[in-house]
């Protein structure tokens, strides 16, 4: 599966369960596994707490 | 392979020696200095204590040609013109770390350095030592000229954008920050600690010499003359360069497309890392995380409101910006594994 943000190959462990968060190693985007049916996996953008860098 | 380093007492020369002393294929057989003849190397470069008992010798072309298979020249700009030619004429392989053979066009020396090049016919013999751009030519080169530290750092971030015809080539602004070791071991009143500590000093807001190299390389890729606006600043670190390269898009482009372009260009490159992370400590290139290594880290951000694409690049000025590049070029010229002796992870925290 490709990362929807940057198109890198997304590493989803075979034993990953629904609700688990996977992170793209290239761009750092987080995704939540929303559905899993055998080898078919669906993901959605994970809720993240925005960091305040004092901007 | 036996190597010699001319001008080994400076910061760049010292860094070349440091890398070569641990290089599995290289043996440092001679180091020269004008000021420190007879002195142990470690008296000038204390961190090399215990790694070598070499002493500095005078520059003797015949002796060096007899004792070395390849020579690095790390002498001040303007003084390498004769030294490089002398070795070239003796059939030696040379890696020059000065600016004296970087520019292909003799007129550019008058423009950027204010002196006339004494051997313009030798400029075409020199290959600009950026493996990502000229690897095939470097393989067979007798003379390789290593790029300026800020020039290579910004060029690497910019050239893929030009190659893919993404940006307006009339408006490229390179804003760079560089640490104190970039000024060399010489020293002026401005490099005294009391005057240097804590500065964010715009030291050449216009017409910095490295501009000529960036323009040369980007123009070659564009197939037309390109002008670059560059403003370097001296900041309060010892090593490190950050280039914030401002460019303006000719057409709409999204993040995914930019990832694709940079990956296509650098995916196989051993010393380029793409940095644009939404999480963690390291979101965009920062010299903090490359110091001590040969990496050039590259990232980007999009400012759609202004049609601006900011290409960011960070390197260690003494490594990728000088000695690391030089050893990478030596590896390529000599048929060694390109990563040998320079594939170190950065030193953090420093
Ligand atoms: Zn991604």
């Amino acid at each position: 599966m490709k990362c929807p943000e940057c198109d890198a190959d997304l590493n989803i462990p075979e034993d990953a369960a629904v609700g688990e968060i996977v992170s793209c190693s290239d761009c750092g985007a987080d995704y939540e596994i929303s559905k899993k049916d055998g080898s078919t996996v669906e993901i959605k953008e994970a809720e993240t707490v925005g960091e305040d860098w004092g901007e | 392979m036996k190597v010699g380093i001319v001008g080994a007492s400076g910061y760049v020369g010292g860094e070349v020696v440091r890398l070569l002393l641990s290089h599995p294929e290289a043996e440092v057989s001679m180091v020269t200095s004008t000021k420190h003849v007879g002195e142990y190397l470690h008296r000038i470069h204390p961190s090399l204590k215990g790694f070598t008992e070499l002493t500095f010798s005078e520059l003797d072309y015949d002796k060096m040609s007899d004792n070395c298979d390849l020579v690095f020249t790390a002498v001040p700009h303007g003084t390498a013109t004769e030294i490089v030619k002398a070795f070239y004429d003796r059939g030696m392989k040379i890696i020059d770390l000065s600016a004296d053979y970087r520019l292909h066009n003799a007129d550019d020396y008058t423009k950027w350095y204010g002196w006339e090049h004494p051997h313009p016919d030798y400029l075409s013999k020199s290959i600009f030592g950026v493996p990502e751009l000229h690897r095939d030519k470097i393989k067979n080169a007798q003379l390789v000229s290593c790029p300026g530290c800020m020039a290579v750092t910004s060029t690497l971030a910019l050239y893929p954008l030009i190659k893919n015809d993404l940006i307006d080539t009339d408006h490229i602004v390179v804003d760079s920050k560089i640490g104190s070791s970039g000024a060399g071991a010489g020293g002026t009143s401005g490099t005294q600690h009391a005057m240097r500590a804590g500065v964010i000093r715009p030291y050449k807001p216009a017409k910095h010499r490295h501009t000529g190299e960036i323009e040369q390389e980007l123009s070659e890729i564009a197939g037309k003359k390109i002008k670059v606006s560059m403003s370097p600043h001296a900041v309060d670190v010892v090593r490190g360069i950050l280039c914030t390269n401002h460019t303006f898009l000719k057409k709409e482009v999204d993040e995914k497309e930019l990832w694709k372009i940079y990956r296509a260009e650098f995916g196989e490159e051993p010393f380029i890392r793409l940095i644009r992370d939404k999480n963690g400590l390291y979101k965009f290139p920062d010299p903090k995380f490359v110091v001590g290594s040969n990496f050039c880290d590259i990232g980007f951000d999009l400012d759609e409101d202004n049609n601006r694409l900011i290409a960011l690049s960070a390197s260690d000025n003494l490594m990728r910006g000088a000695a690391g590049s030089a050893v990478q070029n030596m590896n390529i010229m000599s048929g060694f594994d390109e990563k040998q002796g320079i594939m170190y992870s950065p030193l953090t925290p420093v």
Side-chain angles (χ1 to χ4, degrees):
Chain A
M1 177 174 271
K2 299 277 186 196
C3 169
E5 286 274 342
C6 80
D7 239 6
D9 287 322
L10 208 52
N11 246 333
I12 300 178
E14 266 181 45
D15 58 355
V18 170
E20 224 169 274
I21 304 289
V22 290
S23 183
C24 172
S25 74
D26 269 15
C27 79
D30 287 332
Y31 302 101
E32 184 184 329
I33 296 177
S34 54
K35 252 189 206 168
K36 202 176 177 210
D37 188 3
S39 61
T40 327
V41 177
E42 278 178 36
I43 55 172
K44 65 173 188 191
E45 218 170 298
E47 300 272 342
T48 44
V49 184
E51 269 176 284
D52 181 1
W53 284 61
E55 288 167 318
Chain B
M1 185 174 71
K2 289 186 169 180
V3 296
I5 296 107
V6 178
S9 62
Y11 293 157
V12 167
E15 188 76 343
V16 172
V17 177
R18 177 178 79 88
L19 294 172
L20 293 176
L21 286 174
S22 306
H23 194 291
E25 303 282 354
E27 180 197 332
V28 181
S29 58
M30 285 183 91
V31 291
T32 83
S33 162
T34 47
K35 270 187 279 182
H36 304 288
V37 176
E39 186 65 276
Y40 281 110
L41 191 83
H42 65 250
R43 289 258 154 67
I44 308 301
H45 300 298
S47 56
L48 301 180
K49 173 93 178 176
F51 283 85
T52 176
E53 289 295 303
L54 270 175
T55 56
F56 290 105
S57 49
E58 258 176 290
L59 172 55
D60 179 325
Y61 292 112
D62 292 329
K63 221 182 196 177
M64 209 152 189
S65 306
D66 289 345
N67 282 298
C68 303
D69 306 302
L70 186 146
V71 171
F72 292 86
T73 45
V75 297
H77 304 316
T79 56
T81 49
E82 301 305 327
I83 297 173
V84 167
K85 180 179 179 293
F87 282 118
Y88 192 95
D89 292 344
R90 284 170 169 77
M92 294 287 289
K93 283 190 177 179
I94 310 138
I95 297 174
D96 182 30
L97 288 119
S98 82
D100 294 1
Y101 288 89
R102 287 178 194 156
L103 301 170
H104 305 326
N105 183 346
D107 292 341
D108 282 340
Y109 281 95
T110 323
K111 176 174 178 185
W112 296 106
Y113 290 86
W115 42 265
E116 228 163 274
H117 203 288
H119 307 296
D121 44 329
Y122 280 67
L123 292 175
S124 61
K125 304 179 194 300
S126 169
I127 305 300
F128 195 72
V130 179
E132 289 82 356
L133 289 171
H134 304 298
R135 184 172 280 115
D136 283 341
K137 283 185 182 165
I138 293 169
K139 271 180 198 160
N140 302 308
Q142 187 189 340
L143 167 60
V144 168
S145 176
C146 292
C149 53
M150 287 183 283
V152 64
T153 306
S154 65
T155 300
L156 285 169
L158 285 168
Y159 88 81
L161 307 175
I162 290 171
K163 197 169 162 184
N164 288 279
D165 199 22
L166 278 188
I167 56 171
D168 169 6
T169 50
D170 291 330
H171 299 94
I172 299 173
V173 180
V174 177
D175 175 310
S176 62
K177 320 281 186 296
I178 182 165
S180 57
S181 59
T188 64
S189 57
T191 63
Q192 293 285 320
H193 181 263
M195 287 298 134
R196 186 62 175 73
V199 299
I200 308 175
R201 180 189 298 158
Y203 71 86
K204 193 76 180 150
K207 303 190 180 76
H208 188 276
R209 291 164 165 186
H210 288 181
T211 312
E213 298 169 35
I214 306 173
E215 289 185 352
Q216 167 179 292
E217 294 303 305
L218 296 184
S219 298
E220 206 168 285
I221 288 179
K224 63 174 182 182
K225 183 86 192 126
I226 284 187
K227 307 280 278 173
V228 170
S229 308
M230 180 182 189
S231 300
H233 306 75
V235 295
D236 195 3
V237 295
V238 174
R239 286 180 187 237
I241 292 175
L242 174 70
C243 291
T244 306
N245 306 285
H246 301 273
T247 69
F248 295 89
L249 290 162
K250 284 207 294 200
K251 51 189 170 200
E252 236 175 85
V253 57
D254 60 10
E255 271 185 40
K256 231 185 254 186
E257 181 68 19
L258 289 166
W259 270 105
K260 194 175 162 194
I261 285 168
Y262 278 117
R263 278 195 195 116
E265 201 59 45
F266 298 129
E268 304 293 315
E269 285 296 339
F271 292 110
I272 306 273
R273 302 188 299 187
L274 300 180
I275 305 295
R276 182 186 161 69
D277 206 312
K278 293 174 170 30
N279 289 301
L281 198 57
Y282 196 24
K283 296 185 166 66
F284 293 105
D286 180 337
K288 181 92 179 167
F289 299 108
V290 296
V291 163
S293 80
N294 195 44
F295 292 114
C296 180
D297 282 1
I298 294 175
F300 59 85
D301 205 6
L302 274 170
D303 171 14
E304 290 93 347
D305 278 355
N306 297 300
N307 227 17
R308 184 170 61 119
L309 163 57
I310 308 104
L312 299 144
S313 43
S315 72
D316 178 329
N317 54 293
L318 290 179
M319 284 291 292
R320 181 30 101 98
S325 276
V327 175
Q328 192 178 353
N329 285 321
M330 178 195 83
N331 287 341
I332 297 170
M333 288 163 87
S334 314
F336 304 148
D337 176 348
E338 196 171 324
K339 303 188 285 296
Q340 254 180 350
I342 39 175
M343 186 46 96
Y344 300 116
S345 56
L347 191 61
T348 313
V350 279

